[in-house]
Amino acid sequence: MSDIRNEGVAPVILAPNQPLNRPYRGGSGIARFRGTAHTDPYTPEDFVGSSTEVFSGHGVGLTVLPDGRSLRDAIEADPLGYLGPHHVQAFGADPMLLVKLLSTDERLFVHYHPDAAFASAHLGRTVGKTEAWVVIDTDGPDAYALLGFNRPISSVEAEHWVTEQDVPDMVGAMNPVALATGDTLFVPAGVAHGIGPGVTLVELQEPTDLSILLEYQGFPGFTLSSALLGLDVRTAVTGLDRSLWLPEQLAVLGEGRGDGATHFPPAADRFFRARSVHVEGAATLAAGFAILVVVVVAGEGSLQAGAAAGAASIGASAAPLSLSLRLGRGTTVLVPFGAGEVTLQGSLDVIVCSPPAPPRAT
């Protein structure tokens, strides 16, 4: 069923968008999740509903819509229709969100992401890269991440690790964190981390592709300079959180709100939001820009928008809209603000990924 009179504000199922030649092996978990073939071992990431390029640019990472436009161009042409007036007033035509599917087939290198202050001072970027994860699959009971340091680290020691590639000492100074399906983890900018093999997750992050690699030996294509984004070693480690992370501090990073649905602790809200919606029958989502990731389907499911959902479309380019999209495990959906209220039907578990809420007017 489809009677779309304004495709610019219609929800759309997103095709896979996996950049080639990434520097670590992965992607098999994404293939299982989407039910597709895994043909390239260096496609570990799927940029979902992305208006963000990889650090090297050239358009790599941008989502291309069915009409051939990049999502970034479509949003710039109609920011109110895609993002809504409150978001545009607060943030302009930037969604302020990047969602990825990520799947590791080897341990991901130890690295950290700069915060906004470091990115502005040294990398010519206006945002940093705080991120968070929702684990949707693992290859077994021994899945893990490395997160933060188990003792204070001096700048001299951090510089030694990088220049000498003393990986055993580096990894030995980090906290292993067990991961299982359904776990969540908030990773503030500056905190060193790596992900063990056999983990598939949904990743929300600030809309940039900034990673400073403390470990790069054995990963193709890296030199010391490229691993550090062209920075010298001393400058690169100044953005690293070298403090001790106690077990109780790590535990907070893995906490939601206690309501069983809202992922990540309150500190994540100024960067992004994510919640799980369990559908048995029907559930309604309010108008708002969002990326939906369908995790589990028992039987059939669908997304209804506009007249099909019993709601009027909303937005700067609003027009009568009636749309029904069929949903299955691994489906990813872009929902523009202008689609208005949408309804999920069937038996579904859906992760709803959203930008930060605009600040309230005082």
Side-chain angles (χ1 to χ4, degrees), residues 11 22 45 77 80 92 101 108 189 201 253 338 356:
R22 298 300 271 173
E45 300 168 356
L80 294 176
L101 303 178
L108 181 57
L201 52 83
L253 300 180

Side-chain angles (χ1 to χ4, degrees), residues 292-320:
L292 310 185
V293 181
V294 181
V295 180
V296 176
V297 172
E300 294 186 351
S302 64
L303 179 147
Q304 312 286 334
S313 70
I314 304 169
S317 50

